[in-house]
Amino acid sequence: MMFLNFIVAVLALIYNGAEGMKLQANVGELFTYKIEPQLFNWTHQVISQQFRYRPSLKGYPDLPSWMRYMYSHEYHSGFLYGTPPESAAGKDLSLDVVALNRQNYETRHVVVSMFVAQKFRTPNVVQMKINNLNWVHLMDPGRVENLRNIFRNDLWPNSREDLSVVFMESAVNMGGRLPLRPQQREGVIVHVGSFAQFSPRLMELQEEVRPLYKLPSCSYKRTSVQKIFENVGFKLDWCAFRMVGMESPTEILFHSGKQSEQQVTGEQKHQEDRWIGISREDVPERNYIDEFAFAFAIPGVIFAVLIGMLSAVLCFQHDKFSSNSDYPMSSTVQMVQCSDSKSNQPITTLKSLKDPNFLLDNISMRSQSPNNSFYQLDCGTSSIYARPKPPPYKGGTLGRNGVDI
């Protein structure tokens, strides 16, 4: 029983120590913090991805604007990272971290306190992109130290005293694309800075990669310092290599999208950090009348033009048929004379050409030959052969050979 009470007391001390811990972040330097099960006194992990964490600023639903939280499936831990701005200098922050055990749905809560210390930003910064790493790999202090040693020992010896990582972010979060193969690395953007002036070797490297600025990516390019980075496991994209500082050329500052700290006053920075909303009167209003006019007037005009064109085509076609008619309109009534076989007297009868009885019943085709145009008409007890009325004669001019001209 005493042993059990001793264990409970030790766990309580550890838990209270975790709640009372206080971290420190410096303005202009990368801050990282690892959230793992040991922080909540969980030591045994049964299933993969058993624990989940949700950090937030105490009393608020989200983290500070400069801080980001991401969970790593590779390390089975969460990570807080970010670079504090000058507006956060001298402030105490309290973070609520809630953990969930997905095996038994147990939740635990820890308060992490931190203080943002004032520090001048480094004026000279080297920006680079590492293709063969993810963001979580730079959470390893050993890799960060290897990267700093490359500059402190070879490329930038004057920065040995104060060289630090000032920025780190995943290349995907910065606008890059995910790799086609899942086993490939996403890439990470890293900035290192110092108060020391750029070394001559860095200046030569800058001139060496300057022609590559117009290319979006060039992992195939090799430089004179390629082996120095590859020997410690870093493969750089030299198209993203930049040097930004007080004495940097104008095109480098413009290309990097940053300005020197001396060009921006403290009041301007404070105004940039504050978001100012617009009033209701300044919100633009949507004019539905113009939209309906455009939606109906333009299609209506097009429809009217098409109707006019179609009507004109039909009218011209009708006039063409009327003017090209070879025969004038003949009478629809024809007079037929029949002779009676008994009295031998002619009998005059009017027949309508549109009468169906005349066309079908009273007309019998005696000859089916196309060359014979005579039809036998029944007139009472007698019948005669009649020919249709010929078309009117059109007078012409005869030439010497008797040809109509």
Side-chain angles (χ1 to χ4, degrees):
M1 187 68 179
M2 295 179 59
F3 180 74
L4 182 60
N5 293 334
F6 176 76
I7 294 178
V8 172
V10 171
L11 292 178
L13 289 175
I14 295 176
Y15 183 76
N16 294 331
E19 284 193 342
M21 68 176 60
K22 194 164 188 178
L23 307 175
Q24 180 174 340
N26 298 324
V27 173
E29 289 187 7
L30 180 66
F31 166 79
T32 60
Y33 181 70
K34 184 178 181 180
I35 302 177
E36 50 189 351
Q38 288 76 12
L39 181 64
F40 304 90
N41 300 325
W42 285 331
T43 57
H44 183 62
Q45 182 171 349
V46 179
I47 61 176
S48 179
Q49 302 179 9
Q50 178 178 346
F51 304 106
R52 283 291 182 268
Y53 314 101
R54 182 177 179 181
S56 63
L57 192 62
K58 190 173 184 178
Y60 295 90
D62 204 354
L63 292 169
S65 58
W66 57 269
M67 186 180 296
R68 178 186 292 269
Y69 169 77
M70 293 186 70
Y71 183 83
S72 172
H73 297 278
E74 183 178 351
Y75 288 87
H76 304 289
S77 301
F79 292 91
L80 293 169
Y81 65 94
T83 303
E86 292 186 0
S87 59
K91 295 182 178 180
D92 291 316
L93 301 178
S94 296
L95 303 178
D96 286 334
V97 184
V98 179
L100 171 65
N101 189 341
R102 299 176 62 186
Q103 184 182 8
N104 53 13
Y105 293 96
E106 179 188 1
T107 59
R108 294 187 182 182
H109 171 256
V110 168
V111 177
V112 178
S113 301
M114 61 179 302
F115 175 75
V116 180
Q118 175 65 40
K119 185 181 179 182
F120 293 104
R121 286 181 174 270
T122 55
N124 300 319
V125 178
V126 176
Q127 306 174 359
M128 70 195 87
K129 177 185 176 184
I130 304 175
N131 289 329
N132 63 327
L133 296 180
N134 290 336
W135 63 270
V136 70
H137 297 141
L138 286 183
M139 298 296 176
D140 183 7
R143 279 198 176 95
V144 175
E145 191 65 20
N146 291 337
L147 182 62
R148 295 173 61 187
N149 288 334
I150 292 177
F151 289 91
R152 289 186 295 191
N153 299 332
D154 296 316
L155 301 180
W156 203 357
N158 296 335
S159 64
R160 184 181 299 271
E161 300 297 331
D162 59 350
L163 183 68
S164 60
V165 178
V166 299
F167 179 80
M168 188 277 299
E169 186 57 274
S170 172
V172 175
N173 294 336
M174 296 293 291
R177 294 184 177 182
L178 288 171
L180 296 178
R181 298 179 180 178
Q183 60 270 21
Q184 293 179 344
R185 304 294 172 81
E186 298 176 358
V188 58
I189 306 295
V190 186
H191 298 176
V192 295
S194 173
F195 287 92
Q197 296 295 327
F198 292 126
S199 64
R201 192 169 187 184
L202 275 180
M203 300 298 291
E204 293 176 0
L205 180 60
Q206 176 73 17
E207 295 299 326
E208 184 179 353
V209 300
R210 188 185 298 274
L212 305 176
Y213 283 172
K214 58 183 179 181
L215 301 177
S217 177
C218 50
S219 57
Y220 57 87
K221 174 65 178 176
R222 301 185 65 86
T223 61
S224 58
V225 297
Q226 185 85 18
K227 288 295 183 181
I228 299 178
F229 287 91
E230 290 184 352
N231 289 338
V232 290
F234 299 111
K235 293 184 180 180
L236 270 63
D237 184 355
W238 295 107
C239 290
F241 188 86
R242 301 286 187 275
M243 291 168 49
V244 182
M246 293 185 298
E247 299 180 359
S248 300
T250 306
E251 67 258 21
I252 300 179
L253 293 175
F254 177 79
H255 190 277
S256 64
K258 292 188 176 182
Q259 296 180 351
S260 177
E261 294 292 336
Q262 287 76 11
Q263 297 177 356
V264 183
T265 61
E267 183 179 357
Q268 292 175 346
K269 291 180 180 178
H270 182 69
Q271 293 178 356
E272 290 176 359
D273 294 338
R274 179 184 299 176
W275 181 83
I276 301 177
I278 60 177
S279 61
R280 186 173 183 179
E281 292 77 12
D282 297 335
V283 177
E285 296 182 358
R286 192 173 182 180
N287 192 351
Y288 291 96
I289 298 178
D290 295 341
E291 294 186 6
F292 278 110
F294 280 106
F296 292 100
I298 295 178
V301 171
I302 296 175
F303 181 73
V305 171
L306 293 177
I307 291 296
M309 294 174 59
L310 182 60
S311 301
V313 170
L314 294 178
C315 291
F316 288 142
Q317 194 74 11
H318 178 72
D319 295 341
K320 180 179 179 182
F321 288 150
S322 299
S323 60
N324 293 337
S325 179
D326 294 334
Y327 306 105
M329 297 297 294
S330 58
S331 177
T332 59
V333 179
Q334 185 176 358
M335 183 177 293
V336 180
Q337 288 185 351
C338 302
S339 58
D340 191 359
S341 59
K342 295 182 180 180
S343 60
N344 293 328
Q345 293 180 357
I347 300 175
T348 303
T349 306
L350 294 176
K351 294 291 184 178
S352 175
L353 298 178
K354 293 185 178 180
D355 188 3
N357 297 325
F358 174 76
L359 296 176
L360 299 176
D361 300 336
N362 298 333
I363 299 177
S364 59
M365 300 288 292
R366 300 300 184 184
S367 176
Q368 300 297 330
S369 174
N371 296 328
N372 189 357
S373 60
F374 290 95
Y375 301 91
Q376 186 175 6
L377 303 178
D378 295 332
C379 298
T381 57
S382 64
S383 62
I384 63 170
Y385 287 95
R387 185 190 297 271
K389 185 177 180 179
Y393 173 73
K394 291 184 179 180
T397 305
L398 297 178
R400 294 181 179 180
N401 299 327
V403 180
D404 189 4
I405 299 176

